[in-house]
Amino acid sequence: MMTLTINGRDHQVDAEPDTPLLYVLRDDIKLNAAKYGCGLGQCGACTVMVDGDAVFSCITPILLLKDRKITTLEGLGTQDAPAPIQRAFIEEQAAQCGYCTPGMMMRAQALLQRNAAPTDQQIRAELAPHLCRCGTHMRILRAVHRAADMMRRADAGAEGAKL
Ligand code: FES
Ligand code: FES
Protein backbone atom coordinates (compact mmCIF):
# COMPACT_ATOMS: atom_id res chain seq x y z
CA MET A 1 0.00 0.00 0.00
CA MET A 2 1.31 3.44 -0.82
CA THR A 3 0.02 6.99 -0.58
CA LEU A 4 -0.06 9.17 -3.68
CA THR A 5 -0.96 12.85 -3.52
CA ILE A 6 -3.02 13.66 -6.58
CA ASN A 7 -4.73 16.98 -7.21
CA GLY A 8 -4.28 17.90 -3.55
CA ARG A 9 -5.81 14.71 -2.16
CA ASP A 10 -4.10 11.68 -0.68
CA HIS A 11 -5.01 8.33 -2.23
CA GLN A 12 -4.13 4.93 -0.81
CA VAL A 13 -2.98 2.78 -3.69
CA ASP A 14 -2.63 -0.98 -3.60
CA ALA A 15 -0.33 -1.66 -6.56
CA GLU A 16 3.14 -3.03 -7.27
CA PRO A 17 5.83 -0.32 -6.90
CA ASP A 18 6.80 -0.61 -10.56
CA THR A 19 3.25 0.01 -11.78
CA PRO A 20 3.19 2.99 -14.16
CA LEU A 21 1.38 6.01 -12.74
CA LEU A 22 -0.92 6.09 -15.79
CA TYR A 23 -2.42 2.70 -14.90
CA VAL A 24 -3.05 3.76 -11.32
CA LEU A 25 -4.64 7.03 -12.40
CA ARG A 26 -6.97 5.44 -14.90
CA ASP A 27 -7.70 2.02 -13.41
CA ASP A 28 -7.60 2.60 -9.67
CA ILE A 29 -8.40 6.28 -9.14
CA LYS A 30 -10.62 6.65 -12.19
CA LEU A 31 -8.99 9.85 -13.39
CA ASN A 32 -9.20 9.33 -17.13
CA ALA A 33 -7.93 12.60 -18.61
CA ALA A 34 -4.42 11.23 -19.12
CA LYS A 35 -4.54 8.92 -22.12
CA TYR A 36 -2.74 5.75 -23.11
CA GLY A 37 -1.15 6.32 -26.51
CA CYS A 38 2.12 4.45 -26.99
CA GLY A 39 3.00 3.35 -23.46
CA LEU A 40 6.63 4.04 -24.34
CA GLY A 41 7.19 7.72 -23.64
CA GLN A 42 6.93 8.61 -27.31
CA CYS A 43 3.61 10.40 -27.83
CA GLY A 44 2.81 12.60 -24.81
CA ALA A 45 -0.84 11.56 -24.46
CA CYS A 46 -0.32 10.43 -20.84
CA THR A 47 1.40 13.61 -19.61
CA VAL A 48 0.71 14.86 -16.08
CA MET A 49 2.66 17.16 -13.77
CA VAL A 50 4.82 16.01 -10.88
CA ASP A 51 5.95 18.86 -8.63
CA GLY A 52 5.17 21.23 -11.51
CA ASP A 53 7.16 19.37 -14.17
CA ALA A 54 5.56 17.58 -17.11
CA VAL A 55 6.19 13.82 -17.04
CA PHE A 56 5.06 10.85 -19.10
CA SER A 57 2.92 8.90 -16.66
CA CYS A 58 3.12 5.74 -18.80
CA ILE A 59 6.80 5.31 -17.96
CA THR A 60 6.81 6.74 -14.44
CA PRO A 61 6.61 3.99 -11.80
CA ILE A 62 4.71 4.93 -8.68
CA LEU A 63 7.69 4.06 -6.48
CA LEU A 64 9.24 7.38 -7.58
CA LEU A 65 6.24 9.39 -6.44
CA LYS A 66 6.28 9.20 -2.68
CA ASP A 67 5.81 12.71 -1.20
CA ARG A 68 5.54 14.25 -4.67
CA LYS A 69 2.63 16.40 -5.85
CA ILE A 70 0.90 14.87 -8.85
CA THR A 71 -1.44 17.05 -10.91
CA THR A 72 -3.69 15.76 -13.65
CA LEU A 73 -5.91 17.72 -15.99
CA GLU A 74 -8.80 17.12 -13.58
CA GLY A 75 -6.83 19.08 -10.99
CA LEU A 76 -6.56 22.26 -13.07
CA GLY A 77 -10.21 23.20 -13.39
CA THR A 78 -13.72 21.90 -13.85
CA GLN A 79 -16.27 22.03 -16.62
CA ASP A 80 -18.00 24.91 -14.81
CA ALA A 81 -14.79 26.68 -13.84
CA PRO A 82 -12.10 25.75 -16.36
CA ALA A 83 -8.51 26.83 -15.84
CA PRO A 84 -7.09 29.38 -18.31
CA ILE A 85 -5.33 26.69 -20.34
CA GLN A 86 -8.59 24.74 -20.62
CA ARG A 87 -10.60 27.85 -21.55
CA ALA A 88 -8.01 28.85 -24.11
CA PHE A 89 -8.09 25.44 -25.82
CA ILE A 90 -11.89 25.63 -25.96
CA GLU A 91 -11.92 29.20 -27.26
CA GLU A 92 -9.34 28.42 -29.95
CA GLN A 93 -11.08 25.12 -30.77
CA ALA A 94 -7.68 23.51 -30.40
CA ALA A 95 -8.87 19.91 -30.41
CA GLN A 96 -10.16 17.68 -33.13
CA CYS A 97 -10.36 14.09 -31.86
CA GLY A 98 -9.01 15.36 -28.53
CA TYR A 99 -6.79 12.39 -27.77
CA CYS A 100 -3.59 14.40 -27.52
CA THR A 101 -5.26 17.38 -25.85
CA PRO A 102 -4.96 16.57 -22.11
CA GLY A 103 -1.25 15.86 -22.47
CA MET A 104 -0.70 19.00 -24.54
CA MET A 105 -2.51 21.08 -21.92
CA MET A 106 -0.53 19.63 -19.04
CA ARG A 107 2.82 20.32 -20.67
CA ALA A 108 1.69 23.80 -21.70
CA GLN A 109 0.56 24.46 -18.12
CA ALA A 110 3.96 23.39 -16.79
CA LEU A 111 5.63 25.74 -19.28
CA LEU A 112 3.39 28.69 -18.34
CA GLN A 113 4.06 28.18 -14.64
CA ARG A 114 7.76 28.81 -15.20
CA ASN A 115 7.57 31.18 -18.18
CA ALA A 116 4.66 33.63 -18.24
CA ALA A 117 5.33 34.84 -21.78
CA PRO A 118 6.82 32.10 -23.93
CA THR A 119 7.68 32.77 -27.56
CA ASP A 120 6.35 30.71 -30.47
CA GLN A 121 9.70 28.98 -30.62
CA GLN A 122 9.69 28.11 -26.92
CA ILE A 123 6.15 26.70 -27.11
CA ARG A 124 7.01 24.65 -30.19
CA ALA A 125 10.15 23.27 -28.52
CA GLU A 126 8.26 22.43 -25.34
CA LEU A 127 5.45 20.63 -27.13
CA ALA A 128 7.77 18.81 -29.55
CA PRO A 129 7.51 15.48 -27.66
CA HIS A 130 3.73 15.49 -28.21
CA LEU A 131 2.16 13.95 -31.27
CA CYS A 132 -1.11 15.21 -32.76
CA ARG A 133 -2.36 13.16 -35.66
CA CYS A 134 -5.18 15.58 -36.38
CA GLY A 135 -2.88 18.47 -37.24
CA THR A 136 -4.24 21.01 -34.77
CA HIS A 137 -0.77 22.39 -34.08
CA MET A 138 -1.42 25.98 -35.12
CA ARG A 139 -4.56 26.19 -32.99
CA ILE A 140 -2.68 24.69 -30.05
CA LEU A 141 0.02 27.33 -30.46
CA ARG A 142 -2.62 30.07 -30.41
CA ALA A 143 -4.31 28.49 -27.39
CA VAL A 144 -1.09 28.49 -25.37
CA HIS A 145 -0.53 32.18 -26.16
CA ARG A 146 -4.14 32.91 -25.23
CA ALA A 147 -3.77 31.06 -21.91
CA ALA A 148 -0.54 32.96 -21.21
CA ASP A 149 -2.40 36.27 -21.79
CA MET A 150 -5.23 35.21 -19.47
CA MET A 151 -2.82 34.15 -16.74
CA ARG A 152 -0.80 37.37 -17.00
CA ARG A 153 -3.97 39.47 -16.83
CA ALA A 154 -5.18 37.50 -13.80
CA ASP A 155 -1.80 38.01 -12.09
CA ALA A 156 -1.85 41.73 -12.87
CA GLY A 157 -5.38 41.96 -11.46
CA ALA A 158 -4.34 40.16 -8.28
CA GLU A 159 -1.34 42.48 -7.87
CA GLY A 160 -3.56 45.52 -8.45
CA ALA A 161 -6.01 44.33 -5.81
CA LYS A 162 -3.19 44.18 -3.24
CA LEU A 163 -2.25 47.86 -3.79
S1 FES B 1 1.33 6.97 -23.68
FE1 FES B 1 2.88 7.91 -22.52
S2 FES B 1 4.13 8.91 -23.97
FE2 FES B 1 2.67 7.80 -25.16
S1 FES C 1 -6.58 16.48 -31.77
FE1 FES C 1 -6.52 14.41 -32.49
S2 FES C 1 -4.51 13.74 -32.01
FE2 FES C 1 -4.49 15.82 -31.53
Side-chain angles (χ1 to χ4, degrees):
M1 199 62 98
M2 143 170 207
T3 304
L4 292 180
T5 305
I6 304 169
N7 301 334
R9 276 188 52 203
D10 286 349
H11 295 265
Q12 300 300 318
V13 173
D14 187 9
E16 293 298 319
D18 61 350
T19 307
L21 173 61
L22 179 63
Y23 299 177
V24 170
L25 290 174
R26 294 183 61 86
D27 299 341
D28 299 323
I29 303 175
K30 309 299 180 198
L31 291 172
N32 292 320
K35 300 287 182 276
Y36 184 97
C38 63
L40 297 168
Q42 293 178 358
C43 75
C46 64
T47 300
V48 300
M49 287 196 295
V50 174
D51 293 340
D53 293 326
V55 303
F56 296 140
S57 64
C58 69
I59 53 168
T60 304
I62 57 171
L63 64 91
L64 299 179
L65 299 172
K66 190 172 175 310
D67 299 326
R68 314 282 299 274
K69 287 191 176 62
I70 301 160
T71 309
T72 70
L73 190 64
E74 291 93 339
L76 294 188
T78 63
Q79 209 161 357
D80 292 337
I85 191 71
Q86 294 166 314
R87 273 176 50 205
F89 267 67
I90 294 166
E91 288 169 9
E92 290 292 344
Q93 293 285 288
Q96 211 170 104
C97 79
Y99 207 81
C100 69
T101 311
M104 293 272 192
M105 284 198 271
M106 292 312 290
R107 190 173 295 273
Q109 176 72 22
L111 170 65
L112 295 178
Q113 286 179 195
R114 61 174 201 276
N115 180 353
T119 62
D120 265 10
Q121 207 175 12
Q122 287 168 329
I123 298 169
R124 284 170 190 265
E126 188 71 17
L127 295 181
H130 290 248
L131 303 182
C132 173
R133 291 190 209 184
C134 300
T136 50
H137 301 86
M138 295 313 293
R139 287 172 182 238
I140 290 168
L141 195 56
R142 287 201 298 271
V144 178
H145 281 299
R146 183 185 279 256
D149 278 351
M150 286 182 201
M151 290 165 77
R152 285 196 304 271
R153 274 189 272 120
D155 284 350
E159 280 304 310
K162 279 190 215 155
L163 299 176

